[in-house]
Amino acid sequence: MEALCCQPLDTIKVRMQLSRSGRLPGTKPRGFIATGLSIVRRETPLALYKGLGAVLSGIVPKMAIRFASFESYKRWLTDKNTGKASMGAIFLAGLGAGTTEAIAVVTPMEVVKIRLQAQMHSLADPLETPRYRNAGHAVYAIVREEGFGALYRGVSLTALRQATNQGVNFTAYQELKKAAHRWQPELSDLPSYQHMAIGLISGAMGPFSNAPIDTIKTRLQKSTALQGQSAWHRISSIARDMWQQEGFRSFYKGITPRVLRVAPGQAIVFAVYEKVRLILENFKETDQENSYSE
């Protein structure tokens, strides 16, 4: 549901990050509404869903890995005497979860997604053949032409982005959740709308903490590697070019659609996660009671 609702905003974000508008003195970068309207006019509304196949194939394992690894890291970092995890422990668990999902799923998924989103062909014109037809064809073409390693282009930046994202996200969520329980001590479990509100706030914090990393990563993953050029050289070259030709604001291109995509997405994810977790815990308790009675 998160992917289906938020994919158009992600496509707009990627196009804004790849755009070179605003390079000339006295000109401004194109905003997210203007970018979205331009895509719809030139490529039809369906173009806003470019790369959806790559996202749908990766989002389920990504979320499974994120929450499973977070709970594991949190359990390892929990104080054995008190049985509670400190704010620092939660932040480290979030960093670990973000890094794990970036290496396992997110990097190859985003390389494919960005290549598909960057194609400015019209879906209304059957004669205009795109380079990549779909997610499967994109994977095949990238591996054949650039090698398997191309799917992991930008893995260090993706891991850094996901780590900071989830570190900030989980820490903010857990602390806001604790505060909500302190304000409402009569509630054993918070209602879903409160989980959604807390997820919305914590989800918005991540993009602001690492927008420059995400913009550089997008440009790196869209481009093809030059022979003999190291990853660090490509990253520094992209950052230097952005600074010199487009200015400081270019590092925050696409921040508006990214926040509008990520924040509601996290609201949906945390509300569903808490509801499913509660159902599983109740099921486990019922199962244990039945085994004791037997």
Side-chain angles (χ1 to χ4, degrees), residues 250-268:
S250 67
F251 290 96
Y252 285 84
K253 279 185 173 181
I255 186 65
T256 303
R258 187 176 173 218
V259 171
L260 290 175
R261 179 186 66 83
V262 172
Q266 291 305 299
I268 294 167

Side-chain angles (χ1 to χ4, degrees), residues 24 35 64 129 179 191 223 276:
L24 297 175
T35 301
T129 307
S223 63
V276 172

Side-chain angles (χ1 to χ4, degrees), residues 14-25 27-30 120 215-216 218-220 222-223 237-239 241-242 245-247 250 253:
V14 167
R15 290 292 183 87
M16 288 177 71
Q17 290 177 331
L18 295 174
S19 171
R20 298 302 199 268
S21 64
R23 298 178 82 165
L24 297 175
T27 62
K28 290 184 178 181
R30 183 183 291 161
M120 298 189 186
T215 305
I216 296 169
T218 297
R219 295 198 178 191
L220 178 70
K222 191 262 179 183
S223 63
S237 177
I238 290 169
D241 179 65
M242 288 172 64
Q245 299 193 42
E246 300 171 62
S250 67
K253 279 185 173 181

Side-chain angles (χ1 to χ4, degrees), residues 51-129:
L52 180 62
V55 176
L56 289 176
S57 63
I59 198 166
V60 173
K62 179 179 82 168
M63 291 301 175
I65 290 167
R66 174 183 299 176
F67 282 98
S69 60
F70 172 76
E71 294 294 347
S72 295
Y73 297 141
K74 181 184 171 185
R75 188 167 59 251
W76 296 338
L77 294 165
T78 295
D79 189 308
K80 299 300 183 289
N81 297 320
T82 62
K84 294 181 179 180
S86 65
M87 186 189 296
I90 291 170
F91 182 72
L92 288 174
L95 289 178
T99 303
T100 303
E101 71 178 14
I103 295 170
V105 178
V106 177
T107 303
M109 179 187 78
E110 291 215 339
V111 168
V112 174
K113 174 183 72 72
I114 288 167
R115 295 291 183 93
L116 290 166
Q117 288 173 323
Q119 297 184 125
M120 298 189 186
H121 69 289
S122 174
L123 296 174
D125 184 358
L127 298 178
E128 192 174 353
T129 307

Side-chain angles (χ1 to χ4, degrees), residues 113-162:
K113 174 183 72 72
I114 288 167
R115 295 291 183 93
L116 290 166
Q117 288 173 323
Q119 297 184 125
M120 298 189 186
H121 69 289
S122 174
L123 296 174
D125 184 358
L127 298 178
E128 192 174 353
T129 307
R131 184 179 182 188
Y132 307 117
R133 293 191 297 272
N134 50 50
H137 179 252
V139 171
Y140 172 76
I142 291 168
V143 172
R144 186 189 63 188
E145 296 169 11
E146 304 171 50
F148 183 79
L151 292 174
Y152 278 87
R153 185 165 299 139
V155 65
S156 58
L157 288 178
T158 305
L160 183 59
R161 186 201 65 180
Q162 293 301 113

